[in-house]
Amino acid sequence: ALPIYATVNFGPTPNVTKAFSVQRQSEPSGPLVNSEYYTGWLDYWGGNHSTTDVEKVTESLEAMLKIGANVNMYMFEGGTNFGYWSGADFKDMFKPVTTSYDYDAPLSEAGDPTDKIYALRNVISKFQEIPEGPMPPATIKYGYGYIQLKKDGDLLDFLEILSPNPAVPSRFPLTFEQLNQYFGFVLYRTILPADRKS
């Protein structure tokens, strides 16, 4: 078996040495590695867009680079959770994640440079040479105006179109894994015996 090297994940902190001490509990020697340095945070449905202070992000990055740590920025570029990939957290309550995964990242969800990327680039330039040349410009955006949607029917009216697989009969409800259904929805139906009381 290949050896596994333990790393840590953390965002901006006033004490990176303390944050790396968690890694040292498992790896007494070897490189310091922040495998997910949080440059921002995700958004939850019903909440405000999450932002992380640029100064705090750059200060912690500089502190890590000063002690020779290895850093992987998460996220460096924001993204989009297509389909059912957005997921959710559970922290005392169910918190679904939005479709947008902009993450307040140095490059936005649209791939546009932000103030954060320029600030991070300035920090990195103190430790190594950075490529010369201008940063790519922001992409052109278009406004498509108001779109009127109309209802064509209820979800259950379209099951044969939306579901690529036929019904799976089973005495007991099957899990997603048992159905080879890795995301999305499963509709469970049953017929109760006529003599059952509610």
Side-chain angles (χ1 to χ4, degrees):
L2 293 174
I4 296 174
Y5 189 77
T7 64
V8 289
N9 304 331
F10 59 86
T13 176
N15 189 341
V16 298
T17 303
K18 182 178 178 184
F20 278 120
S21 69
V22 175
Q23 181 188 3
R24 284 293 178 235
Q25 293 171 16
S26 299
E27 300 292 350
S29 62
L32 296 171
V33 181
N34 185 343
S35 48
E36 286 189 5
Y37 177 51
Y38 305 123
T39 60
W41 200 247
L42 47 83
D43 295 336
Y44 298 108
W45 281 106
N48 293 326
H49 175 54
S50 179
T51 58
T52 303
D53 183 70
V54 174
E55 190 173 334
K56 289 180 181 175
V57 173
T58 55
E59 285 174 356
S60 290
L61 176 63
E62 186 163 356
M64 287 187 283
L65 295 178
K66 278 182 179 174
I67 60 173
N70 298 276
V71 182
N72 176 60
M73 294 184 205
Y74 183 91
M75 301 285 293
F76 185 78
E77 180 177 358
T80 306
N81 294 308
F82 292 104
Y84 297 98
W85 289 102
S86 56
D89 283 338
F90 188 85
K91 297 174 184 172
D92 300 322
M93 64 180 290
F94 182 71
K95 299 174 75 174
V97 177
T98 61
T99 304
S100 171
Y101 208 75
D102 179 79
Y103 212 82
D104 192 35
L107 288 177
S108 73
E109 180 176 13
D112 296 339
T114 67
D115 291 341
K116 194 175 286 181
I117 197 169
Y118 294 105
L120 290 169
R121 185 176 178 173
N122 287 339
V123 169
I124 293 168
S125 71
K126 296 177 184 178
F127 299 88
Q128 69 179 46
E129 192 174 329
I130 58 172
E132 292 185 21
M135 189 72 67
T139 57
I140 298 171
K141 311 295 185 298
Y142 298 97
Y144 293 101
Y146 184 79
I147 299 172
Q148 179 71 41
L149 301 177
K150 70 180 189 71
K151 181 177 178 178
D152 281 336
D154 294 318
L155 178 63
L156 297 180
D157 297 336
F158 297 97
L159 280 182
E160 290 183 13
I161 298 169
L162 297 173
S163 179
N165 301 316
V168 177
S170 175
R171 182 175 169 90
F172 300 102
L174 300 174
T175 65
F176 272 48
E177 291 80 7
Q178 291 169 318
L179 293 166
N180 292 321
Q181 176 81 14
Y182 300 105
F183 60 91
F185 297 112
V186 170
L187 173 65
Y188 296 96
R189 288 180 168 168
T190 190
I191 297 173
L192 298 174
D195 62 348
R196 293 289 292 181
K197 306 289 185 209
S198 59

